[in-house]
Amino acid sequence: MKALTIGKVAKQAGIGVETIRFYERRGLLEEPPRNDSGYRQYPPEAVVKLRFIKKAKQLGFSLKEIEELIALRHKQDATCGDIKAQAEERINNIEERIRDLSKMKEALVELTRQCSGNKGPVTECPILTALEPTGEDP
Amino acid sequence: MKALTIGKVAKQAGIGVETIRFYERRGLLEEPPRNDSGYRQYPPEAVVKLRFIKKAKQLGFSLKEIEELIALRHKQDATCGDIKAQAEERINNIEERIRDLSKMKEALVELTRQCSGNKGPVTECPILTALEPTGEDP
DNA sequence: CTTGACCCTGTAGTATGGTACAGGGATTAT
DNA sequence: ATAATCCCTGTACCATACTACAGGGTCAAG
């Protein structure tokens, strides 16, 4: 009697209807029971689960990782430490991405530092010549 | 007489043959002349251009941005300042990504700090309960 | 002169995370 | 009762940046 249609769930979770069906196809969300007309009948917990997915995504977890997290939660012998390990892997991953981005940034900052940024011709721009060390155009 | 086949260019630039053809389709690389058999005949400058693309990619430029950079370089009235502006936009973009990632990381670090990481049951893991605030499973 | 390495086009598939119909049936509000 | 919403499936599409064939022609070495 408290079953929700997909539209209600979508609104309450702040996610699109199509996206929910996509998550179901992906295996991220279990298939809910259907009524006589074939409409999905979601228990209220579905909203909770979708919000979980949404938050995890905001923390940078991929759908695949979220799937693993959910699977872990359902395993009887999974421990808190398993989850923590997962989160720590995520942190390491994020740190690596930050390091990569910082390297890119430093290289670019160095290039712009060398560039006067004035009205000089493009052919003399140190940014381009740095990218194209031996280069001229056809 | 110094024309290169696509395979030679690929090897010298450190890029796959298929990737070069893909760049050509994308409009990133101009179509080279062909010989009687329809083989692409690249001038040696093509290697330079591909290395340019490769380096720009390593600096985090997307193919679309690289296209813009190349177009800028070919415009008569483009200035060094135009290039610098492009690079600075890139820097801002990278900084934004770093800020986003740092936020994610901080949230995760805070969660793992709260988690004992011991053999406790998953249902009591603060990481999961934080992600799923009101939640229990079906 | 044949074999293997190279080249060609065109199409399709990969991964990621969705979004957008088309073409139909069901439900709800007026 | 009928129109406006919903819901269904299935498929195709968006961007990004490739990668992998299939099916065929060409070229160079032994």
Tab-separated table of all heavy atoms in Angstrom, chain C residues 1 4 7-10 17 21-25, chain D residues 3 6-10 14 21-24 27 30:
chain	number	residue	atom	x	y	z
C	1	DC	P	56.950	-15.751	-61.405
C	1	DC	OP1	56.224	-15.717	-62.651
C	1	DC	OP2	56.725	-14.571	-60.582
C	1	DC	O5'	56.573	-17.112	-60.662
C	1	DC	C5'	57.490	-17.583	-59.656
C	1	DC	C4'	57.001	-17.247	-58.260
C	1	DC	O4'	57.885	-16.255	-57.665
C	1	DC	C3'	55.590	-16.659	-58.150
C	1	DC	O3'	55.048	-17.147	-56.920
C	1	DC	C2'	55.836	-15.162	-57.965
C	1	DC	C1'	57.098	-15.198	-57.132
C	1	DC	N1	57.928	-13.966	-57.113
C	1	DC	C2	58.834	-13.787	-56.066
C	1	DC	O2	58.911	-14.661	-55.192
C	1	DC	N3	59.597	-12.667	-56.036
C	1	DC	C4	59.476	-11.753	-57.001
C	1	DC	N4	60.261	-10.674	-56.928
C	1	DC	C5	58.582	-11.904	-58.077
C	1	DC	C6	57.831	-13.009	-58.090
C	4	DG	P	53.895	-16.195	-44.417
C	4	DG	OP1	54.441	-17.329	-43.642
C	4	DG	OP2	52.461	-16.155	-44.776
C	4	DG	O5'	54.268	-14.850	-43.654
C	4	DG	C5'	55.602	-14.372	-43.683
C	4	DG	C4'	55.634	-12.858	-43.750
C	4	DG	O4'	55.234	-12.394	-45.059
C	4	DG	C3'	54.697	-12.167	-42.746
C	4	DG	O3'	55.461	-11.201	-42.051
C	4	DG	C2'	53.626	-11.519	-43.625
C	4	DG	C1'	54.390	-11.262	-44.907
C	4	DG	N9	53.588	-11.157	-46.131
C	4	DG	C8	52.553	-11.967	-46.537
C	4	DG	N7	52.045	-11.620	-47.702
C	4	DG	C5	52.801	-10.516	-48.074
C	4	DG	C6	52.710	-9.702	-49.243
C	4	DG	O6	51.950	-9.804	-50.201
C	4	DG	N1	53.667	-8.683	-49.218
C	4	DG	C2	54.569	-8.472	-48.212
C	4	DG	N2	55.399	-7.453	-48.353
C	4	DG	N3	54.665	-9.222	-47.125
C	4	DG	C4	53.741	-10.216	-47.114
C	7	DC	P	51.991	1.530	-43.000
C	7	DC	OP1	52.760	2.772	-43.186
C	7	DC	OP2	51.437	1.153	-41.692
C	7	DC	O5'	50.803	1.500	-44.060
C	7	DC	C5'	50.958	2.142	-45.315
C	7	DC	C4'	49.751	1.880	-46.175
C	7	DC	O4'	49.517	0.457	-46.207
C	7	DC	C3'	48.451	2.447	-45.618
C	7	DC	O3'	48.200	3.746	-46.136
C	7	DC	C2'	47.400	1.485	-46.195
C	7	DC	C1'	48.166	0.249	-46.564
C	7	DC	N1	47.675	-0.971	-45.859
C	7	DC	C2	46.636	-1.707	-46.424
C	7	DC	O2	46.148	-1.320	-47.498
C	7	DC	N3	46.173	-2.805	-45.796
C	7	DC	C4	46.727	-3.187	-44.640
C	7	DC	N4	46.247	-4.278	-44.052
C	7	DC	C5	47.797	-2.455	-44.043
C	7	DC	C6	48.234	-1.359	-44.681
C	8	DC	P	46.963	4.541	-45.622
C	8	DC	OP1	47.059	5.912	-46.161
C	8	DC	OP2	46.866	4.313	-44.181
C	8	DC	O5'	45.729	3.802	-46.338
C	8	DC	C5'	45.542	3.975	-47.742
C	8	DC	C4'	44.265	3.295	-48.184
C	8	DC	O4'	44.373	1.873	-47.961
C	8	DC	C3'	43.036	3.691	-47.376
C	8	DC	O3'	42.476	4.878	-47.901
C	8	DC	C2'	42.116	2.499	-47.602
C	8	DC	C1'	43.079	1.331	-47.731
C	8	DC	N1	43.183	0.436	-46.542
C	8	DC	C2	42.269	-0.613	-46.394
C	8	DC	O2	41.359	-0.736	-47.236
C	8	DC	N3	42.377	-1.453	-45.345
C	8	DC	C4	43.369	-1.278	-44.457
C	8	DC	N4	43.452	-2.148	-43.437
C	8	DC	C5	44.313	-0.210	-44.574
C	8	DC	C6	44.178	0.616	-45.617
C	9	DT	P	41.464	5.691	-46.999
C	9	DT	OP1	41.208	6.972	-47.681
C	9	DT	OP2	41.938	5.658	-45.607
C	9	DT	O5'	40.136	4.814	-47.075
C	9	DT	C5'	39.491	4.602	-48.337
C	9	DT	C4'	38.274	3.726	-48.134
C	9	DT	O4'	38.688	2.486	-47.524
C	9	DT	C3'	37.232	4.337	-47.198
C	9	DT	O3'	35.983	4.441	-47.865
C	9	DT	C2'	37.166	3.426	-45.997
C	9	DT	C1'	37.813	2.135	-46.466
C	9	DT	N1	38.647	1.500	-45.409
C	9	DT	C2	38.309	0.246	-44.952
C	9	DT	O2	37.349	-0.375	-45.360
C	9	DT	N3	39.138	-0.262	-43.987
C	9	DT	C4	40.253	0.344	-43.429
C	9	DT	O4	40.922	-0.214	-42.576
C	9	DT	C5	40.545	1.667	-43.957
C	9	DT	C7	41.714	2.425	-43.415
C	9	DT	C6	39.744	2.178	-44.896
C	10	DG	P	34.833	5.357	-47.251
C	10	DG	OP1	34.051	5.903	-48.374
C	10	DG	OP2	35.446	6.260	-46.264
C	10	DG	O5'	33.935	4.292	-46.469
C	10	DG	C5'	33.848	2.941	-46.940
C	10	DG	C4'	33.267	2.077	-45.843
C	10	DG	O4'	34.346	1.485	-45.072
C	10	DG	C3'	32.397	2.843	-44.840
C	10	DG	O3'	31.127	2.201	-44.724
C	10	DG	C2'	33.166	2.808	-43.537
C	10	DG	C1'	34.045	1.569	-43.694
C	10	DG	N9	35.297	1.673	-42.965
C	10	DG	C8	36.143	2.756	-42.904
C	10	DG	N7	37.193	2.568	-42.159
C	10	DG	C5	37.036	1.273	-41.677
C	10	DG	C6	37.857	0.502	-40.805
C	10	DG	O6	38.929	0.826	-40.279
C	10	DG	N1	37.319	-0.758	-40.578
C	10	DG	C2	36.149	-1.230	-41.104
C	10	DG	N2	35.788	-2.465	-40.773
C	10	DG	N3	35.369	-0.530	-41.923
C	10	DG	C4	35.870	0.714	-42.161
C	17	DG	P	30.727	5.990	-14.522
C	17	DG	OP1	31.250	6.756	-13.382
C	17	DG	OP2	30.374	4.565	-14.384
C	17	DG	O5'	29.464	6.776	-15.094
C	17	DG	C5'	29.544	8.184	-15.307
C	17	DG	C4'	28.256	8.655	-15.933
C	17	DG	O4'	28.214	8.209	-17.313
C	17	DG	C3'	26.967	8.105	-15.280
C	17	DG	O3'	26.038	9.164	-15.118
C	17	DG	C2'	26.473	7.101	-16.300
C	17	DG	C1'	26.887	7.820	-17.557
C	17	DG	N9	26.790	7.059	-18.801
C	17	DG	C8	26.780	5.695	-18.956
C	17	DG	N7	26.627	5.325	-20.205
C	17	DG	C5	26.549	6.518	-20.915
C	17	DG	C6	26.376	6.769	-22.292
C	17	DG	O6	26.266	5.955	-23.201
C	17	DG	N1	26.342	8.126	-22.584
C	17	DG	C2	26.450	9.136	-21.652
C	17	DG	N2	26.387	10.394	-22.099
C	17	DG	N3	26.616	8.920	-20.354
C	17	DG	C4	26.647	7.594	-20.059
C	21	DC	P	13.603	14.182	-27.747
C	21	DC	OP1	13.436	14.183	-29.237
C	21	DC	OP2	13.631	15.451	-27.023
C	21	DC	O5'	12.526	13.254	-27.096
C	21	DC	C5'	11.536	12.481	-27.730
C	21	DC	C4'	12.037	11.569	-28.807
C	21	DC	O4'	12.973	10.618	-28.253
C	21	DC	C3'	10.906	10.773	-29.438
C	21	DC	O3'	10.972	10.813	-30.847
C	21	DC	C2'	11.036	9.387	-28.899
C	21	DC	C1'	12.463	9.290	-28.387
C	21	DC	N1	12.528	8.616	-27.063
C	21	DC	C2	12.729	7.244	-27.013
C	21	DC	O2	12.830	6.613	-28.075
C	21	DC	N3	12.796	6.619	-25.804
C	21	DC	C4	12.692	7.323	-24.687
C	21	DC	N4	12.782	6.672	-23.529
C	21	DC	C5	12.486	8.727	-24.715
C	21	DC	C6	12.407	9.324	-25.904
C	22	DA	P	9.644	10.962	-31.646
C	22	DA	OP1	10.041	11.865	-32.750
C	22	DA	OP2	8.527	11.317	-30.746
C	22	DA	O5'	9.361	9.512	-32.239
C	22	DA	C5'	10.434	8.588	-32.504
C	22	DA	C4'	9.868	7.173	-32.524
C	22	DA	O4'	10.073	6.536	-31.241
C	22	DA	C3'	8.355	7.113	-32.794
C	22	DA	O3'	8.110	5.993	-33.630
C	22	DA	C2'	7.760	6.934	-31.401
C	22	DA	C1'	8.830	6.103	-30.706
C	22	DA	N9	8.927	6.282	-29.249
C	22	DA	C8	8.886	7.461	-28.549
C	22	DA	N7	9.050	7.313	-27.249
C	22	DA	C5	9.209	5.952	-27.087
C	22	DA	C6	9.420	5.152	-25.950
C	22	DA	N6	9.522	5.632	-24.717
C	22	DA	N1	9.535	3.818	-26.139
C	22	DA	C2	9.436	3.326	-27.383
C	22	DA	N3	9.245	3.977	-28.527
C	22	DA	C4	9.134	5.299	-28.307
C	23	DG	P	6.773	5.887	-34.438
C	23	DG	OP1	7.112	5.258	-35.720
C	23	DG	OP2	6.086	7.193	-34.391
C	23	DG	O5'	5.919	4.842	-33.591
C	23	DG	C5'	6.460	3.552	-33.274
C	23	DG	C4'	5.616	2.923	-32.195
C	23	DG	O4'	6.042	3.417	-30.898
C	23	DG	C3'	4.121	3.251	-32.304
C	23	DG	O3'	3.375	2.064	-32.026
C	23	DG	C2'	3.910	4.281	-31.204
C	23	DG	C1'	4.879	3.750	-30.160
C	23	DG	N9	5.221	4.650	-29.071
C	23	DG	C8	5.266	6.026	-29.068
C	23	DG	N7	5.603	6.525	-27.904
C	23	DG	C5	5.796	5.414	-27.095
C	23	DG	C6	6.177	5.323	-25.722
C	23	DG	O6	6.425	6.229	-24.938
C	23	DG	N1	6.241	4.000	-25.304
C	23	DG	C2	5.986	2.899	-26.091
C	23	DG	N2	6.098	1.711	-25.515
C	23	DG	N3	5.635	2.974	-27.375
C	23	DG	C4	5.569	4.260	-27.800
C	24	DG	P	1.845	1.952	-32.464
C	24	DG	OP1	1.690	0.669	-33.160
C	24	DG	OP2	1.410	3.209	-33.119
C	24	DG	O5'	1.091	1.849	-31.061
C	24	DG	C5'	1.050	0.590	-30.465
C	24	DG	C4'	1.334	0.688	-28.985
C	24	DG	O4'	2.086	1.863	-28.639
C	24	DG	C3'	0.087	0.821	-28.117
C	24	DG	O3'	-0.460	-0.455	-27.853
C	24	DG	C2'	0.643	1.440	-26.843
C	24	DG	C1'	2.015	1.971	-27.243
C	24	DG	N9	2.254	3.314	-26.782
C	24	DG	C8	2.208	4.470	-27.497
C	24	DG	N7	2.490	5.541	-26.792
C	24	DG	C5	2.749	5.047	-25.526
C	24	DG	C6	3.112	5.707	-24.323
C	24	DG	O6	3.292	6.908	-24.144
C	24	DG	N1	3.266	4.825	-23.273
C	24	DG	C2	3.089	3.460	-23.360
C	24	DG	N2	3.271	2.746	-22.242
C	24	DG	N3	2.770	2.813	-24.479
C	24	DG	C4	2.606	3.671	-25.504
C	25	DG	P	-1.999	-0.504	-27.362
C	25	DG	OP1	-2.493	-1.834	-27.759
C	25	DG	OP2	-2.665	0.743	-27.777
C	25	DG	O5'	-1.874	-0.473	-25.772
C	25	DG	C5'	-1.213	-1.542	-25.087
C	25	DG	C4'	-1.058	-1.155	-23.627
C	25	DG	O4'	-0.380	0.120	-23.558
C	25	DG	C3'	-2.374	-0.977	-22.872
C	25	DG	O3'	-2.282	-1.606	-21.596
C	25	DG	C2'	-2.515	0.534	-22.740
C	25	DG	C1'	-1.065	0.967	-22.665
C	25	DG	N9	-0.830	2.349	-23.069
C	25	DG	C8	-0.976	2.883	-24.326
C	25	DG	N7	-0.686	4.156	-24.387
C	25	DG	C5	-0.331	4.496	-23.088
C	25	DG	C6	0.078	5.726	-22.533
C	25	DG	O6	0.213	6.817	-23.103
C	25	DG	N1	0.346	5.621	-21.169
C	25	DG	C2	0.227	4.465	-20.440
C	25	DG	N2	0.525	4.540	-19.144
C	25	DG	N3	-0.146	3.285	-20.944
C	25	DG	C4	-0.411	3.378	-22.270
D	3	DA	P	-10.413	14.327	-26.066
D	3	DA	OP1	-11.509	15.095	-26.710
D	3	DA	OP2	-9.716	13.269	-26.807
D	3	DA	O5'	-9.324	15.366	-25.515
D	3	DA	C5'	-9.704	16.302	-24.512
D	3	DA	C4'	-8.665	16.341	-23.402
D	3	DA	O4'	-8.851	15.230	-22.487
D	3	DA	C3'	-7.213	16.274	-23.872
D	3	DA	O3'	-6.515	17.336	-23.230
D	3	DA	C2'	-6.715	14.925	-23.395
D	3	DA	C1'	-7.592	14.641	-22.186
D	3	DA	N9	-7.849	13.226	-21.920
D	3	DA	C8	-8.168	12.243	-22.823
D	3	DA	N7	-8.358	11.066	-22.280
D	3	DA	C5	-8.148	11.278	-20.936
D	3	DA	C6	-8.200	10.418	-19.809
D	3	DA	N6	-8.497	9.118	-19.889
D	3	DA	N1	-7.942	10.956	-18.603
D	3	DA	C2	-7.648	12.265	-18.529
D	3	DA	N3	-7.573	13.176	-19.502
D	3	DA	C4	-7.834	12.608	-20.688
D	6	DC	P	3.094	13.808	-14.725
D	6	DC	OP1	3.010	13.912	-13.245
D	6	DC	OP2	4.023	14.656	-15.487
D	6	DC	O5'	3.389	12.306	-15.166
D	6	DC	C5'	3.460	11.381	-14.210
D	6	DC	C4'	2.791	10.060	-14.552
D	6	DC	O4'	2.033	10.080	-15.759
D	6	DC	C3'	3.831	8.987	-14.782
D	6	DC	O3'	4.114	8.386	-13.519
D	6	DC	C2'	3.141	8.001	-15.705
D	6	DC	C1'	1.920	8.772	-16.237
D	6	DC	N1	1.832	8.804	-17.730
D	6	DC	C2	1.280	7.712	-18.411
D	6	DC	O2	0.895	6.727	-17.750
D	6	DC	N3	1.178	7.730	-19.764
D	6	DC	C4	1.601	8.817	-20.424
D	6	DC	N4	1.474	8.810	-21.749
D	6	DC	C5	2.172	9.949	-19.751
D	6	DC	C6	2.272	9.890	-18.415
D	7	DC	P	5.480	7.639	-13.389
D	7	DC	OP1	5.551	7.169	-11.985
D	7	DC	OP2	6.520	8.487	-13.967
D	7	DC	O5'	5.290	6.371	-14.331
D	7	DC	C5'	4.559	5.251	-13.865
D	7	DC	C4'	4.377	4.262	-14.990
D	7	DC	O4'	3.788	4.954	-16.100
D	7	DC	C3'	5.692	3.722	-15.567
D	7	DC	O3'	6.057	2.529	-14.919
D	7	DC	C2'	5.313	3.421	-17.008
D	7	DC	C1'	4.060	4.212	-17.261
D	7	DC	N1	4.181	5.160	-18.419
D	7	DC	C2	3.863	4.713	-19.687
D	7	DC	O2	3.489	3.538	-19.831
D	7	DC	N3	3.970	5.558	-20.744
D	7	DC	C4	4.375	6.814	-20.542
D	7	DC	N4	4.472	7.616	-21.607
D	7	DC	C5	4.707	7.298	-19.241
D	7	DC	C6	4.603	6.446	-18.218
D	8	DC	P	7.373	1.819	-15.284
D	8	DC	OP1	7.586	0.711	-14.331
D	8	DC	OP2	8.384	2.862	-15.449
D	8	DC	O5'	7.059	1.188	-16.727
D	8	DC	C5'	6.216	0.032	-16.804
D	8	DC	C4'	6.157	-0.467	-18.235
D	8	DC	O4'	5.564	0.543	-19.074
D	8	DC	C3'	7.518	-0.714	-18.867
D	8	DC	O3'	7.973	-2.001	-18.536
D	8	DC	C2'	7.204	-0.574	-20.342
D	8	DC	C1'	6.073	0.422	-20.389
D	8	DC	N1	6.434	1.808	-20.853
D	8	DC	C2	6.417	2.099	-22.214
D	8	DC	O2	6.135	1.178	-23.014
D	8	DC	N3	6.695	3.352	-22.634
D	8	DC	C4	6.995	4.298	-21.742
D	8	DC	N4	7.248	5.524	-22.207
D	8	DC	C5	7.033	4.017	-20.344
D	8	DC	C6	6.756	2.776	-19.942
D	9	DT	P	9.511	-2.328	-18.718
D	9	DT	OP1	9.759	-3.641	-18.107
D	9	DT	OP2	10.301	-1.158	-18.303
D	9	DT	O5'	9.635	-2.468	-20.296
D	9	DT	C5'	8.914	-3.496	-20.985
D	9	DT	C4'	9.184	-3.399	-22.472
D	9	DT	O4'	8.820	-2.070	-22.917
D	9	DT	C3'	10.653	-3.599	-22.836
D	9	DT	O3'	10.770	-4.671	-23.755
D	9	DT	C2'	11.105	-2.279	-23.432
D	9	DT	C1'	9.821	-1.562	-23.775
D	9	DT	N1	9.892	-0.095	-23.521
D	9	DT	C2	9.743	0.781	-24.574
D	9	DT	O2	9.574	0.421	-25.722
D	9	DT	N3	9.816	2.111	-24.231
D	9	DT	C4	10.009	2.641	-22.974
D	9	DT	O4	10.043	3.853	-22.800
D	9	DT	C5	10.164	1.664	-21.919
D	9	DT	C7	10.396	2.125	-20.505
D	9	DT	C6	10.102	0.366	-22.237
D	10	DG	P	12.204	-5.313	-24.006
D	10	DG	OP1	11.995	-6.733	-24.335
D	10	DG	OP2	13.115	-4.938	-22.913
D	10	DG	O5'	12.668	-4.545	-25.333
D	10	DG	C5'	11.701	-4.150	-26.309
D	10	DG	C4'	12.324	-3.175	-27.276
D	10	DG	O4'	12.082	-1.825	-26.820
D	10	DG	C3'	13.840	-3.325	-27.440
D	10	DG	O3'	14.147	-3.536	-28.815
D	10	DG	C2'	14.421	-2.031	-26.905
D	10	DG	C1'	13.261	-1.052	-26.993
D	10	DG	N9	13.289	-0.054	-25.941
D	10	DG	C8	13.494	-0.264	-24.588
D	10	DG	N7	13.465	0.825	-23.876
D	10	DG	C5	13.238	1.831	-24.811
D	10	DG	C6	13.113	3.231	-24.624
D	10	DG	O6	13.181	3.885	-23.581
D	10	DG	N1	12.882	3.887	-25.838
D	10	DG	C2	12.790	3.275	-27.066
D	10	DG	N2	12.569	4.060	-28.113
D	10	DG	N3	12.898	1.963	-27.249
D	10	DG	C4	13.124	1.306	-26.086
D	14	DC	P	23.848	11.913	-32.046
D	14	DC	OP1	23.636	13.165	-32.789
D	14	DC	OP2	24.790	10.887	-32.542
D	14	DC	O5'	24.277	12.297	-30.558
D	14	DC	C5'	23.499	13.245	-29.838
D	14	DC	C4'	24.239	13.634	-28.585
D	14	DC	O4'	24.015	12.614	-27.597
D	14	DC	C3'	25.751	13.693	-28.792
D	14	DC	O3'	26.136	15.031	-29.077
D	14	DC	C2'	26.307	13.225	-27.453
D	14	DC	C1'	25.166	12.453	-26.796
D	14	DC	N1	25.381	10.990	-26.627
D	14	DC	C2	25.679	10.481	-25.359
D	14	DC	O2	25.775	11.277	-24.412
D	14	DC	N3	25.857	9.147	-25.205
D	14	DC	C4	25.749	8.335	-26.256
D	14	DC	N4	25.915	7.015	-26.049
D	14	DC	C5	25.458	8.820	-27.553
D	14	DC	C6	25.282	10.147	-27.704
D	21	DC	P	40.223	-7.525	-33.118
D	21	DC	OP1	39.147	-8.551	-33.259
D	21	DC	OP2	41.371	-7.784	-32.252
D	21	DC	O5'	40.773	-7.123	-34.554
D	21	DC	C5'	40.376	-7.704	-35.769
D	21	DC	C4'	38.919	-7.519	-36.074
D	21	DC	O4'	38.559	-6.124	-35.994
D	21	DC	C3'	38.584	-7.996	-37.467
D	21	DC	O3'	37.522	-8.937	-37.437
D	21	DC	C2'	38.240	-6.767	-38.263
D	21	DC	C1'	38.027	-5.674	-37.243
D	21	DC	N1	38.722	-4.418	-37.642
D	21	DC	C2	38.052	-3.480	-38.443
D	21	DC	O2	36.911	-3.729	-38.823
D	21	DC	N3	38.686	-2.334	-38.788
D	21	DC	C4	39.917	-2.101	-38.356
D	21	DC	N4	40.486	-0.957	-38.719
D	21	DC	C5	40.622	-3.043	-37.547
D	21	DC	C6	40.007	-4.170	-37.215
D	22	DA	P	37.614	-10.194	-38.347
D	22	DA	OP1	37.058	-11.261	-37.498
D	22	DA	OP2	38.967	-10.315	-38.927
D	22	DA	O5'	36.591	-9.917	-39.547
D	22	DA	C5'	35.487	-9.004	-39.390
D	22	DA	C4'	35.104	-8.467	-40.773
D	22	DA	O4'	35.711	-7.164	-40.976
D	22	DA	C3'	35.549	-9.351	-41.935
D	22	DA	O3'	34.523	-9.348	-42.908
D	22	DA	C2'	36.812	-8.650	-42.431
D	22	DA	C1'	36.487	-7.191	-42.167
D	22	DA	N9	37.632	-6.306	-41.931
D	22	DA	C8	38.736	-6.573	-41.161
D	22	DA	N7	39.592	-5.572	-41.103
D	22	DA	C5	39.013	-4.588	-41.886
D	22	DA	C6	39.415	-3.290	-42.232
D	22	DA	N6	40.549	-2.736	-41.803
D	22	DA	N1	38.610	-2.577	-43.040
D	22	DA	C2	37.466	-3.131	-43.464
D	22	DA	N3	36.975	-4.342	-43.213
D	22	DA	C4	37.809	-5.029	-42.402
D	23	DG	P	34.456	-10.509	-44.006
D	23	DG	OP1	33.030	-10.808	-44.213
D	23	DG	OP2	35.407	-11.571	-43.632
D	23	DG	O5'	35.001	-9.784	-45.316
D	23	DG	C5'	34.473	-8.526	-45.736
D	23	DG	C4'	35.420	-7.905	-46.738
D	23	DG	O4'	36.433	-7.138	-46.044
D	23	DG	C3'	36.183	-8.931	-47.600
D	23	DG	O3'	36.216	-8.460	-48.936
D	23	DG	C2'	37.562	-8.938	-46.977
D	23	DG	C1'	37.676	-7.451	-46.631
D	23	DG	N9	38.758	-7.097	-45.728
D	23	DG	C8	39.386	-7.871	-44.776
D	23	DG	N7	40.347	-7.236	-44.144
D	23	DG	C5	40.360	-5.966	-44.712
D	23	DG	C6	41.172	-4.847	-44.456
D	23	DG	O6	42.081	-4.737	-43.628
D	23	DG	N1	40.839	-3.772	-45.271
D	23	DG	C2	39.848	-3.763	-46.223
D	23	DG	N2	39.673	-2.648	-46.911
D	23	DG	N3	39.069	-4.814	-46.478
D	23	DG	C4	39.387	-5.875	-45.692
D	24	DG	P	36.591	-9.447	-50.145
D	24	DG	OP1	35.439	-9.439	-51.073
D	24	DG	OP2	37.129	-10.731	-49.622
D	24	DG	O5'	37.791	-8.672	-50.859
D	24	DG	C5'	37.545	-7.342	-51.297
D	24	DG	C4'	38.785	-6.519	-51.134
D	24	DG	O4'	39.303	-6.617	-49.783
D	24	DG	C3'	39.980	-6.934	-52.002
D	24	DG	O3'	40.015	-6.147	-53.189
D	24	DG	C2'	41.179	-6.603	-51.119
D	24	DG	C1'	40.575	-6.050	-49.854
D	24	DG	N9	41.394	-6.362	-48.692
D	24	DG	C8	41.387	-7.503	-47.925
D	24	DG	N7	42.245	-7.471	-46.938
D	24	DG	C5	42.865	-6.232	-47.075
D	24	DG	C6	43.887	-5.625	-46.300
D	24	DG	O6	44.477	-6.077	-45.319
D	24	DG	N1	44.207	-4.370	-46.792
D	24	DG	C2	43.621	-3.761	-47.879
D	24	DG	N2	44.064	-2.534	-48.205
D	24	DG	N3	42.657	-4.303	-48.595
D	24	DG	C4	42.337	-5.539	-48.144
D	27	DC	P	52.311	0.043	-54.639
D	27	DC	OP1	52.261	1.523	-54.697
D	27	DC	OP2	52.332	-0.753	-55.881
D	27	DC	O5'	53.550	-0.364	-53.720
D	27	DC	C5'	53.437	-0.232	-52.303
D	27	DC	C4'	54.470	-1.100	-51.602
D	27	DC	O4'	53.929	-2.413	-51.352
D	27	DC	C3'	55.782	-1.311	-52.352
D	27	DC	O3'	56.828	-1.099	-51.421
D	27	DC	C2'	55.697	-2.755	-52.825
D	27	DC	C1'	54.916	-3.373	-51.672
D	27	DC	N1	54.171	-4.622	-51.942
D	27	DC	C2	54.187	-5.662	-50.976
D	27	DC	O2	54.852	-5.494	-49.943
D	27	DC	N3	53.478	-6.797	-51.204
D	27	DC	C4	52.774	-6.928	-52.327
D	27	DC	N4	52.083	-8.054	-52.496
D	27	DC	C5	52.743	-5.898	-53.323
D	27	DC	C6	53.453	-4.782	-53.097
D	30	DG	P	65.856	-9.917	-46.814
D	30	DG	OP1	66.299	-9.934	-45.395
D	30	DG	OP2	66.705	-9.281	-47.853
D	30	DG	O5'	65.559	-11.404	-47.266
D	30	DG	C5'	64.527	-12.156	-46.636
D	30	DG	C4'	64.186	-13.371	-47.499
D	30	DG	O4'	63.474	-12.950	-48.686
D	30	DG	C3'	65.407	-14.174	-47.980
D	30	DG	O3'	65.190	-15.571	-47.747
D	30	DG	C2'	65.465	-13.916	-49.490
D	30	DG	C1'	64.030	-13.588	-49.823
D	30	DG	N9	63.867	-12.673	-50.971
D	30	DG	C8	64.628	-11.577	-51.289
D	30	DG	N7	64.218	-10.957	-52.357
D	30	DG	C5	63.119	-11.704	-52.783
D	30	DG	C6	62.273	-11.524	-53.902
D	30	DG	O6	62.304	-10.657	-54.765
D	30	DG	N1	61.289	-12.508	-53.955
D	30	DG	C2	61.142	-13.523	-53.055
D	30	DG	N2	60.131	-14.364	-53.265
D	30	DG	N3	61.930	-13.704	-52.003
D	30	DG	C4	62.890	-12.760	-51.931
